[in-house]
Amino acid sequence: GGCCAGPQRACTADEKQNGIACSNPCLEGWPSYMIDHTGVRNRMMQWATYTYDMGGELLWSAVSGFHNRGPPLGNGTDGWDQQLIAGGNGEGTLFYPGRPNKIGGSTHIPVASFRLMMIREGNEDYEYLNLLESKLGREKALEISSRVMTSATNYTDNPDTIYETRRIIAELLQS
């Protein structure tokens, strides 16, 4: 695994043939689901999905902390003790194992991470943009979304900008 989930540039034929990594999304500021990155950066994947009209996202795991094996795939701990799995803090873990000895109670339940909550917010942003596109067209929706993201590596780090943009979209949808 790499250190970030995220869209990357198209691979060249040589890179595809020889299995060469196409880019380093962490260093380039791509949206990311890593713990070490901001909640806004965790939320930007869906803005990129809309901006680039992608067909969806593929996350290799959301629960690797439930069954973290030893090297080379993990570090032999669980999601409560250590999150460095597959090359990045939080890679493949959006839920924590809600064991009674960690959270109380009498049953095992999944515990959502803050990152998962930000992904949900990003999904809601994505749906707002699709509704706006349905009403006013893609060009207008992209114009409004550019307040938040102009490219996959150029986006706001201010949550207030996102909420203000959502307010504008809501007003446009109601008009």
Side-chain angles (χ1 to χ4, degrees):
C3 77
C4 306
Q8 298 184 17
R9 68 173 170 80
C11 296
T12 66
D14 182 60
E15 288 169 332
K16 285 181 184 178
Q17 181 176 354
N18 296 308
I20 299 169
C22 299
S23 66
N24 184 334
C26 278
L27 298 178
E28 296 170 12
W30 292 104
S32 165
Y33 294 153
M34 297 300 104
I35 289 171
D36 303 326
H37 298 149
T38 66
V40 168
R41 194 168 174 187
N42 297 157
R43 186 177 182 166
M44 286 295 106
M45 189 76 69
Q46 293 75 21
W47 288 84
T49 298
Y50 182 81
T51 300
Y52 293 100
D53 199 20
M54 294 186 281
E57 302 169 33
L58 178 62
L59 183 65
W60 69 275
S61 178
V63 293
S64 64
F66 279 66
H67 52 81
N68 187 358
R69 298 181 297 258
L73 299 175
N75 55 26
T77 65
D78 72 15
W80 293 107
D81 301 323
Q82 175 60 263
Q83 280 290 314
L84 182 57
I85 302 170
N89 286 324
E91 178 75 17
T93 304
L94 295 175
F95 293 93
Y96 293 88
R99 297 187 309 268
N101 67 326
K102 292 287 186 181
I103 65 168
S106 59
T107 59
H108 292 258
I109 61 168
V111 177
S113 66
F114 174 76
R115 291 168 294 128
L116 184 62
M117 294 176 207
M118 291 298 94
I119 293 167
R120 182 201 64 222
E121 290 287 313
N123 287 335
E124 292 170 359
D125 299 336
Y126 177 84
E127 292 303 326
Y128 262 75
L129 291 166
N130 276 303
L131 288 169
L132 184 63
E133 179 178 328
S134 295
K135 183 170 183 173
L136 300 177
R138 183 157 178 84
E139 187 174 321
K140 182 66 173 177
L142 285 170
E143 175 190 324
I144 300 296
S145 72
S146 71
R147 296 171 50 91
V148 172
M149 173 181 274
T150 57
S151 76
T153 57
N154 187 19
Y155 47 85
T156 186
D157 62 355
N158 184 344
D160 293 337
T161 301
I162 299 170
Y163 289 114
E164 175 63 13
T165 302
R166 278 180 62 157
R167 186 192 61 73
I168 290 168
I169 293 170
E171 287 177 359
L172 290 169
L173 290 172
Q174 290 176 340
S175 64

PDB file of all heavy atoms in Angstrom, residues 120-152:
ATOM      1  N   ARG A 120     -18.192  10.543   5.091  1.00  0.00           N
ATOM      2  CA  ARG A 120     -19.647  10.705   4.983  1.00  0.00           C
ATOM      3  C   ARG A 120     -20.000  12.139   4.600  1.00  0.00           C
ATOM      4  O   ARG A 120     -20.839  12.386   3.731  1.00  0.00           O
ATOM      5  CB  ARG A 120     -20.335  10.333   6.306  1.00  0.00           C
ATOM      6  CG  ARG A 120     -21.863  10.446   6.207  1.00  0.00           C
ATOM      7  CD  ARG A 120     -22.544  10.585   7.557  1.00  0.00           C
ATOM      8  NE  ARG A 120     -22.128  11.826   8.178  1.00  0.00           N
ATOM      9  CZ  ARG A 120     -21.813  11.941   9.470  1.00  0.00           C
ATOM     10  NH1 ARG A 120     -21.867  10.905  10.270  1.00  0.00           N
ATOM     11  NH2 ARG A 120     -21.448  13.097   9.961  1.00  0.00           N
ATOM     12  N   GLU A 121     -19.358  13.115   5.244  1.00  0.00           N
ATOM     13  CA  GLU A 121     -19.592  14.516   4.889  1.00  0.00           C
ATOM     14  C   GLU A 121     -19.237  14.764   3.431  1.00  0.00           C
ATOM     15  O   GLU A 121     -19.951  15.467   2.718  1.00  0.00           O
ATOM     16  CB  GLU A 121     -18.769  15.436   5.798  1.00  0.00           C
ATOM     17  CG  GLU A 121     -19.240  15.495   7.224  1.00  0.00           C
ATOM     18  CD  GLU A 121     -20.522  16.285   7.381  1.00  0.00           C
ATOM     19  OE1 GLU A 121     -20.627  17.394   6.821  1.00  0.00           O
ATOM     20  OE2 GLU A 121     -21.424  15.796   8.071  1.00  0.00           O
ATOM     21  N   GLY A 122     -18.114  14.203   2.989  1.00  0.00           N
ATOM     22  CA  GLY A 122     -17.723  14.343   1.589  1.00  0.00           C
ATOM     23  C   GLY A 122     -18.744  13.722   0.646  1.00  0.00           C
ATOM     24  O   GLY A 122     -19.027  14.259  -0.431  1.00  0.00           O
ATOM     25  N   ASN A 123     -19.319  12.581   1.042  1.00  0.00           N
ATOM     26  CA  ASN A 123     -20.365  11.962   0.221  1.00  0.00           C
ATOM     27  C   ASN A 123     -21.588  12.867   0.127  1.00  0.00           C
ATOM     28  O   ASN A 123     -22.218  12.974  -0.930  1.00  0.00           O
ATOM     29  CB  ASN A 123     -20.757  10.594   0.779  1.00  0.00           C
ATOM     30  CG  ASN A 123     -19.712   9.540   0.529  1.00  0.00           C
ATOM     31  OD1 ASN A 123     -18.916   9.634  -0.409  1.00  0.00           O
ATOM     32  ND2 ASN A 123     -19.686   8.531   1.373  1.00  0.00           N
ATOM     33  N   GLU A 124     -21.928  13.519   1.231  1.00  0.00           N
ATOM     34  CA  GLU A 124     -23.044  14.471   1.203  1.00  0.00           C
ATOM     35  C   GLU A 124     -22.719  15.654   0.298  1.00  0.00           C
ATOM     36  O   GLU A 124     -23.583  16.117  -0.455  1.00  0.00           O
ATOM     37  CB  GLU A 124     -23.370  14.937   2.621  1.00  0.00           C
ATOM     38  CG  GLU A 124     -23.953  13.838   3.479  1.00  0.00           C
ATOM     39  CD  GLU A 124     -24.050  14.217   4.955  1.00  0.00           C
ATOM     40  OE1 GLU A 124     -23.650  15.335   5.322  1.00  0.00           O
ATOM     41  OE2 GLU A 124     -24.530  13.369   5.725  1.00  0.00           O
ATOM     42  N   ASP A 125     -21.458  16.142   0.358  1.00  0.00           N
ATOM     43  CA  ASP A 125     -21.035  17.222  -0.544  1.00  0.00           C
ATOM     44  C   ASP A 125     -21.204  16.789  -1.999  1.00  0.00           C
ATOM     45  O   ASP A 125     -21.712  17.538  -2.835  1.00  0.00           O
ATOM     46  CB  ASP A 125     -19.561  17.584  -0.307  1.00  0.00           C
ATOM     47  CG  ASP A 125     -19.268  18.080   1.102  1.00  0.00           C
ATOM     48  OD1 ASP A 125     -20.196  18.573   1.774  1.00  0.00           O
ATOM     49  OD2 ASP A 125     -18.101  17.974   1.510  1.00  0.00           O
ATOM     50  N   TYR A 126     -20.777  15.563  -2.286  1.00  0.00           N
ATOM     51  CA  TYR A 126     -20.879  15.011  -3.638  1.00  0.00           C
ATOM     52  C   TYR A 126     -22.339  14.982  -4.107  1.00  0.00           C
ATOM     53  O   TYR A 126     -22.645  15.360  -5.235  1.00  0.00           O
ATOM     54  CB  TYR A 126     -20.273  13.604  -3.657  1.00  0.00           C
ATOM     55  CG  TYR A 126     -20.368  12.897  -4.974  1.00  0.00           C
ATOM     56  CD1 TYR A 126     -19.415  13.109  -5.968  1.00  0.00           C
ATOM     57  CD2 TYR A 126     -21.401  12.001  -5.229  1.00  0.00           C
ATOM     58  CE1 TYR A 126     -19.495  12.456  -7.187  1.00  0.00           C
ATOM     59  CE2 TYR A 126     -21.489  11.343  -6.442  1.00  0.00           C
ATOM     60  CZ  TYR A 126     -20.539  11.573  -7.413  1.00  0.00           C
ATOM     61  OH  TYR A 126     -20.625  10.919  -8.622  1.00  0.00           O
ATOM     62  N   GLU A 127     -23.222  14.559  -3.233  1.00  0.00           N
ATOM     63  CA  GLU A 127     -24.647  14.506  -3.597  1.00  0.00           C
ATOM     64  C   GLU A 127     -25.217  15.908  -3.813  1.00  0.00           C
ATOM     65  O   GLU A 127     -26.021  16.115  -4.727  1.00  0.00           O
ATOM     66  CB  GLU A 127     -25.449  13.737  -2.543  1.00  0.00           C
ATOM     67  CG  GLU A 127     -25.116  12.261  -2.502  1.00  0.00           C
ATOM     68  CD  GLU A 127     -25.309  11.559  -3.847  1.00  0.00           C
ATOM     69  OE1 GLU A 127     -26.232  11.923  -4.608  1.00  0.00           O
ATOM     70  OE2 GLU A 127     -24.529  10.645  -4.141  1.00  0.00           O
ATOM     71  N   TYR A 128     -24.813  16.864  -2.988  1.00  0.00           N
ATOM     72  CA  TYR A 128     -25.232  18.256  -3.201  1.00  0.00           C
ATOM     73  C   TYR A 128     -24.808  18.718  -4.593  1.00  0.00           C
ATOM     74  O   TYR A 128     -25.581  19.348  -5.316  1.00  0.00           O
ATOM     75  CB  TYR A 128     -24.595  19.177  -2.160  1.00  0.00           C
ATOM     76  CG  TYR A 128     -25.463  19.519  -0.975  1.00  0.00           C
ATOM     77  CD1 TYR A 128     -25.691  18.605   0.032  1.00  0.00           C
ATOM     78  CD2 TYR A 128     -26.016  20.778  -0.853  1.00  0.00           C
ATOM     79  CE1 TYR A 128     -26.467  18.935   1.132  1.00  0.00           C
ATOM     80  CE2 TYR A 128     -26.792  21.124   0.243  1.00  0.00           C
ATOM     81  CZ  TYR A 128     -27.008  20.186   1.231  1.00  0.00           C
ATOM     82  OH  TYR A 128     -27.781  20.522   2.307  1.00  0.00           O
ATOM     83  N   LEU A 129     -23.568  18.441  -4.963  1.00  0.00           N
ATOM     84  CA  LEU A 129     -23.061  18.855  -6.278  1.00  0.00           C
ATOM     85  C   LEU A 129     -23.834  18.183  -7.406  1.00  0.00           C
ATOM     86  O   LEU A 129     -24.144  18.822  -8.418  1.00  0.00           O
ATOM     87  CB  LEU A 129     -21.563  18.570  -6.386  1.00  0.00           C
ATOM     88  CG  LEU A 129     -20.679  19.443  -5.493  1.00  0.00           C
ATOM     89  CD1 LEU A 129     -19.274  18.869  -5.400  1.00  0.00           C
ATOM     90  CD2 LEU A 129     -20.657  20.881  -5.996  1.00  0.00           C
ATOM     91  N   ASN A 130     -24.177  16.920  -7.240  1.00  0.00           N
ATOM     92  CA  ASN A 130     -24.971  16.229  -8.268  1.00  0.00           C
ATOM     93  C   ASN A 130     -26.372  16.819  -8.384  1.00  0.00           C
ATOM     94  O   ASN A 130     -26.896  16.959  -9.496  1.00  0.00           O
ATOM     95  CB  ASN A 130     -25.035  14.728  -7.990  1.00  0.00           C
ATOM     96  CG  ASN A 130     -23.836  14.015  -8.533  1.00  0.00           C
ATOM     97  OD1 ASN A 130     -23.545  14.091  -9.724  1.00  0.00           O
ATOM     98  ND2 ASN A 130     -23.117  13.328  -7.677  1.00  0.00           N
ATOM     99  N   LEU A 131     -26.977  17.148  -7.249  1.00  0.00           N
ATOM    100  CA  LEU A 131     -28.294  17.790  -7.298  1.00  0.00           C
ATOM    101  C   LEU A 131     -28.216  19.146  -7.997  1.00  0.00           C
ATOM    102  O   LEU A 131     -29.076  19.491  -8.809  1.00  0.00           O
ATOM    103  CB  LEU A 131     -28.861  17.963  -5.884  1.00  0.00           C
ATOM    104  CG  LEU A 131     -29.325  16.699  -5.178  1.00  0.00           C
ATOM    105  CD1 LEU A 131     -29.595  16.974  -3.700  1.00  0.00           C
ATOM    106  CD2 LEU A 131     -30.547  16.119  -5.863  1.00  0.00           C
ATOM    107  N   LEU A 132     -27.159  19.905  -7.678  1.00  0.00           N
ATOM    108  CA  LEU A 132     -26.972  21.201  -8.328  1.00  0.00           C
ATOM    109  C   LEU A 132     -26.775  21.026  -9.828  1.00  0.00           C
ATOM    110  O   LEU A 132     -27.350  21.770 -10.626  1.00  0.00           O
ATOM    111  CB  LEU A 132     -25.777  21.926  -7.706  1.00  0.00           C
ATOM    112  CG  LEU A 132     -25.522  23.339  -8.213  1.00  0.00           C
ATOM    113  CD1 LEU A 132     -26.704  24.256  -7.878  1.00  0.00           C
ATOM    114  CD2 LEU A 132     -24.229  23.886  -7.609  1.00  0.00           C
ATOM    115  N   GLU A 133     -25.996  20.044 -10.211  1.00  0.00           N
ATOM    116  CA  GLU A 133     -25.788  19.771 -11.636  1.00  0.00           C
ATOM    117  C   GLU A 133     -27.111  19.420 -12.320  1.00  0.00           C
ATOM    118  O   GLU A 133     -27.375  19.885 -13.436  1.00  0.00           O
ATOM    119  CB  GLU A 133     -24.793  18.627 -11.816  1.00  0.00           C
ATOM    120  CG  GLU A 133     -24.530  18.271 -13.264  1.00  0.00           C
ATOM    121  CD  GLU A 133     -23.512  17.164 -13.443  1.00  0.00           C
ATOM    122  OE1 GLU A 133     -22.581  17.036 -12.622  1.00  0.00           O
ATOM    123  OE2 GLU A 133     -23.653  16.416 -14.429  1.00  0.00           O
ATOM    124  N   SER A 134     -27.924  18.613 -11.665  1.00  0.00           N
ATOM    125  CA  SER A 134     -29.229  18.249 -12.244  1.00  0.00           C
ATOM    126  C   SER A 134     -30.109  19.461 -12.469  1.00  0.00           C
ATOM    127  O   SER A 134     -30.877  19.516 -13.431  1.00  0.00           O
ATOM    128  CB  SER A 134     -29.966  17.262 -11.327  1.00  0.00           C
ATOM    129  OG  SER A 134     -29.273  16.049 -11.258  1.00  0.00           O
ATOM    130  N   LYS A 135     -29.992  20.442 -11.587  1.00  0.00           N
ATOM    131  CA  LYS A 135     -30.846  21.628 -11.686  1.00  0.00           C
ATOM    132  C   LYS A 135     -30.251  22.689 -12.611  1.00  0.00           C
ATOM    133  O   LYS A 135     -30.980  23.288 -13.415  1.00  0.00           O
ATOM    134  CB  LYS A 135     -31.078  22.230 -10.299  1.00  0.00           C
ATOM    135  CG  LYS A 135     -32.019  23.423 -10.331  1.00  0.00           C
ATOM    136  CD  LYS A 135     -32.448  23.873  -8.964  1.00  0.00           C
ATOM    137  CE  LYS A 135     -33.450  25.018  -9.115  1.00  0.00           C
ATOM    138  NZ  LYS A 135     -34.028  25.404  -7.853  1.00  0.00           N
ATOM    139  N   LEU A 136     -28.946  22.955 -12.506  1.00  0.00           N
ATOM    140  CA  LEU A 136     -28.359  24.091 -13.219  1.00  0.00           C
ATOM    141  C   LEU A 136     -27.276  23.728 -14.231  1.00  0.00           C
ATOM    142  O   LEU A 136     -26.732  24.616 -14.878  1.00  0.00           O
ATOM    143  CB  LEU A 136     -27.771  25.087 -12.205  1.00  0.00           C
ATOM    144  CG  LEU A 136     -28.764  25.681 -11.208  1.00  0.00           C
ATOM    145  CD1 LEU A 136     -28.046  26.590 -10.229  1.00  0.00           C
ATOM    146  CD2 LEU A 136     -29.877  26.431 -11.928  1.00  0.00           C
ATOM    147  N   GLY A 137     -26.944  22.435 -14.329  1.00  0.00           N
ATOM    148  CA  GLY A 137     -25.933  22.008 -15.290  1.00  0.00           C
ATOM    149  C   GLY A 137     -24.556  21.841 -14.660  1.00  0.00           C
ATOM    150  O   GLY A 137     -24.246  22.427 -13.620  1.00  0.00           O
ATOM    151  N   ARG A 138     -23.752  21.027 -15.315  1.00  0.00           N
ATOM    152  CA  ARG A 138     -22.409  20.710 -14.790  1.00  0.00           C
ATOM    153  C   ARG A 138     -21.516  21.946 -14.730  1.00  0.00           C
ATOM    154  O   ARG A 138     -20.764  22.117 -13.777  1.00  0.00           O
ATOM    155  CB  ARG A 138     -21.762  19.609 -15.628  1.00  0.00           C
ATOM    156  CG  ARG A 138     -20.404  19.197 -15.075  1.00  0.00           C
ATOM    157  CD  ARG A 138     -19.998  17.811 -15.502  1.00  0.00           C
ATOM    158  NE  ARG A 138     -18.685  17.471 -14.992  1.00  0.00           N
ATOM    159  CZ  ARG A 138     -18.439  16.984 -13.772  1.00  0.00           C
ATOM    160  NH1 ARG A 138     -19.436  16.772 -12.934  1.00  0.00           N
ATOM    161  NH2 ARG A 138     -17.212  16.701 -13.389  1.00  0.00           N
ATOM    162  N   GLU A 139     -21.583  22.793 -15.735  1.00  0.00           N
ATOM    163  CA  GLU A 139     -20.724  23.977 -15.763  1.00  0.00           C
ATOM    164  C   GLU A 139     -20.949  24.853 -14.524  1.00  0.00           C
ATOM    165  O   GLU A 139     -19.992  25.302 -13.886  1.00  0.00           O
ATOM    166  CB  GLU A 139     -20.968  24.776 -17.043  1.00  0.00           C
ATOM    167  CG  GLU A 139     -20.004  25.913 -17.232  1.00  0.00           C
ATOM    168  CD  GLU A 139     -20.187  26.598 -18.582  1.00  0.00           C
ATOM    169  OE1 GLU A 139     -20.426  25.913 -19.592  1.00  0.00           O
ATOM    170  OE2 GLU A 139     -20.099  27.840 -18.589  1.00  0.00           O
ATOM    171  N   LYS A 140     -22.219  25.073 -14.168  1.00  0.00           N
ATOM    172  CA  LYS A 140     -22.529  25.887 -12.985  1.00  0.00           C
ATOM    173  C   LYS A 140     -22.077  25.176 -11.708  1.00  0.00           C
ATOM    174  O   LYS A 140     -21.521  25.806 -10.800  1.00  0.00           O
ATOM    175  CB  LYS A 140     -24.028  26.207 -12.930  1.00  0.00           C
ATOM    176  CG  LYS A 140     -24.426  27.091 -11.776  1.00  0.00           C
ATOM    177  CD  LYS A 140     -23.830  28.478 -11.891  1.00  0.00           C
ATOM    178  CE  LYS A 140     -24.359  29.415 -10.830  1.00  0.00           C
ATOM    179  NZ  LYS A 140     -23.740  30.738 -10.892  1.00  0.00           N
ATOM    180  N   ALA A 141     -22.298  23.863 -11.637  1.00  0.00           N
ATOM    181  CA  ALA A 141     -21.889  23.115 -10.452  1.00  0.00           C
ATOM    182  C   ALA A 141     -20.369  23.160 -10.283  1.00  0.00           C
ATOM    183  O   ALA A 141     -19.869  23.339  -9.166  1.00  0.00           O
ATOM    184  CB  ALA A 141     -22.373  21.671 -10.541  1.00  0.00           C
ATOM    185  N   LEU A 142     -19.627  23.038 -11.370  1.00  0.00           N
ATOM    186  CA  LEU A 142     -18.163  23.129 -11.290  1.00  0.00           C
ATOM    187  C   LEU A 142     -17.715  24.535 -10.900  1.00  0.00           C
ATOM    188  O   LEU A 142     -16.741  24.698 -10.161  1.00  0.00           O
ATOM    189  CB  LEU A 142     -17.524  22.707 -12.611  1.00  0.00           C
ATOM    190  CG  LEU A 142     -17.529  21.211 -12.891  1.00  0.00           C
ATOM    191  CD1 LEU A 142     -17.105  20.935 -14.332  1.00  0.00           C
ATOM    192  CD2 LEU A 142     -16.663  20.453 -11.904  1.00  0.00           C
ATOM    193  N   GLU A 143     -18.431  25.544 -11.384  1.00  0.00           N
ATOM    194  CA  GLU A 143     -18.110  26.922 -11.007  1.00  0.00           C
ATOM    195  C   GLU A 143     -18.249  27.099  -9.494  1.00  0.00           C
ATOM    196  O   GLU A 143     -17.372  27.661  -8.835  1.00  0.00           O
ATOM    197  CB  GLU A 143     -19.034  27.895 -11.737  1.00  0.00           C
ATOM    198  CG  GLU A 143     -18.866  29.339 -11.320  1.00  0.00           C
ATOM    199  CD  GLU A 143     -19.973  30.222 -11.893  1.00  0.00           C
ATOM    200  OE1 GLU A 143     -20.420  29.977 -13.032  1.00  0.00           O
ATOM    201  OE2 GLU A 143     -20.392  31.150 -11.175  1.00  0.00           O
ATOM    202  N   ILE A 144     -19.347  26.593  -8.927  1.00  0.00           N
ATOM    203  CA  ILE A 144     -19.577  26.699  -7.485  1.00  0.00           C
ATOM    204  C   ILE A 144     -18.568  25.845  -6.722  1.00  0.00           C
ATOM    205  O   ILE A 144     -17.995  26.275  -5.719  1.00  0.00           O
ATOM    206  CB  ILE A 144     -21.020  26.293  -7.119  1.00  0.00           C
ATOM    207  CG1 ILE A 144     -22.037  27.195  -7.813  1.00  0.00           C
ATOM    208  CG2 ILE A 144     -21.218  26.276  -5.605  1.00  0.00           C
ATOM    209  CD1 ILE A 144     -22.001  28.638  -7.404  1.00  0.00           C
ATOM    210  N   SER A 145     -18.309  24.627  -7.206  1.00  0.00           N
ATOM    211  CA  SER A 145     -17.394  23.730  -6.483  1.00  0.00           C
ATOM    212  C   SER A 145     -15.961  24.245  -6.493  1.00  0.00           C
ATOM    213  O   SER A 145     -15.172  23.888  -5.615  1.00  0.00           O
ATOM    214  CB  SER A 145     -17.451  22.313  -7.042  1.00  0.00           C
ATOM    215  OG  SER A 145     -16.839  22.231  -8.307  1.00  0.00           O
ATOM    216  N   SER A 146     -15.628  25.100  -7.443  1.00  0.00           N
ATOM    217  CA  SER A 146     -14.257  25.634  -7.502  1.00  0.00           C
ATOM    218  C   SER A 146     -13.948  26.539  -6.310  1.00  0.00           C
ATOM    219  O   SER A 146     -12.788  26.846  -6.056  1.00  0.00           O
ATOM    220  CB  SER A 146     -14.009  26.369  -8.825  1.00  0.00           C
ATOM    221  OG  SER A 146     -14.721  27.589  -8.855  1.00  0.00           O
ATOM    222  N   ARG A 147     -14.967  26.939  -5.552  1.00  0.00           N
ATOM    223  CA  ARG A 147     -14.724  27.673  -4.299  1.00  0.00           C
ATOM    224  C   ARG A 147     -13.990  26.773  -3.307  1.00  0.00           C
ATOM    225  O   ARG A 147     -13.278  27.259  -2.434  1.00  0.00           O
ATOM    226  CB  ARG A 147     -16.035  28.132  -3.684  1.00  0.00           C
ATOM    227  CG  ARG A 147     -16.818  29.125  -4.518  1.00  0.00           C
ATOM    228  CD  ARG A 147     -18.214  29.358  -3.942  1.00  0.00           C
ATOM    229  NE  ARG A 147     -18.208  29.648  -2.523  1.00  0.00           N
ATOM    230  CZ  ARG A 147     -18.133  30.868  -1.983  1.00  0.00           C
ATOM    231  NH1 ARG A 147     -18.087  31.920  -2.762  1.00  0.00           N
ATOM    232  NH2 ARG A 147     -18.114  31.034  -0.671  1.00  0.00           N
ATOM    233  N   VAL A 148     -14.196  25.455  -3.443  1.00  0.00           N
ATOM    234  CA  VAL A 148     -13.596  24.480  -2.536  1.00  0.00           C
ATOM    235  C   VAL A 148     -12.392  23.794  -3.175  1.00  0.00           C
ATOM    236  O   VAL A 148     -11.355  23.630  -2.545  1.00  0.00           O
ATOM    237  CB  VAL A 148     -14.648  23.431  -2.109  1.00  0.00           C
ATOM    238  CG1 VAL A 148     -14.013  22.294  -1.315  1.00  0.00           C
ATOM    239  CG2 VAL A 148     -15.755  24.095  -1.311  1.00  0.00           C
ATOM    240  N   MET A 149     -12.523  23.361  -4.429  1.00  0.00           N
ATOM    241  CA  MET A 149     -11.458  22.605  -5.090  1.00  0.00           C
ATOM    242  C   MET A 149     -11.330  23.037  -6.541  1.00  0.00           C
ATOM    243  O   MET A 149     -12.319  23.030  -7.272  1.00  0.00           O
ATOM    244  CB  MET A 149     -11.753  21.106  -5.034  1.00  0.00           C
ATOM    245  CG  MET A 149     -10.779  20.244  -5.834  1.00  0.00           C
ATOM    246  SD  MET A 149     -11.149  18.489  -5.772  1.00  0.00           S
ATOM    247  CE  MET A 149     -10.292  18.054  -4.249  1.00  0.00           C
ATOM    248  N   THR A 150     -10.099  23.390  -6.935  1.00  0.00           N
ATOM    249  CA  THR A 150      -9.845  23.692  -8.347  1.00  0.00           C
ATOM    250  C   THR A 150      -9.081  22.564  -9.020  1.00  0.00           C
ATOM    251  O   THR A 150      -9.103  22.442 -10.239  1.00  0.00           O
ATOM    252  CB  THR A 150      -9.076  25.015  -8.521  1.00  0.00           C
ATOM    253  OG1 THR A 150      -7.851  24.940  -7.790  1.00  0.00           O
ATOM    254  CG2 THR A 150      -9.919  26.193  -8.037  1.00  0.00           C
ATOM    255  N   SER A 151      -8.402  21.754  -8.243  1.00  0.00           N
ATOM    256  CA  SER A 151      -7.758  20.538  -8.754  1.00  0.00           C
ATOM    257  C   SER A 151      -7.574  19.589  -7.579  1.00  0.00           C
ATOM    258  O   SER A 151      -7.760  19.980  -6.418  1.00  0.00           O
ATOM    259  CB  SER A 151      -6.400  20.852  -9.402  1.00  0.00           C
ATOM    260  OG  SER A 151      -5.424  21.099  -8.408  1.00  0.00           O
ATOM    261  N   ALA A 152      -7.188  18.366  -7.859  1.00  0.00           N
ATOM    262  CA  ALA A 152      -7.049  17.364  -6.801  1.00  0.00           C
ATOM    263  C   ALA A 152      -5.947  17.706  -5.809  1.00  0.00           C
ATOM    264  O   ALA A 152      -5.898  17.142  -4.724  1.00  0.00           O
ATOM    265  CB  ALA A 152      -6.806  15.991  -7.401  1.00  0.00           C
TER     266      ALA A 152
END
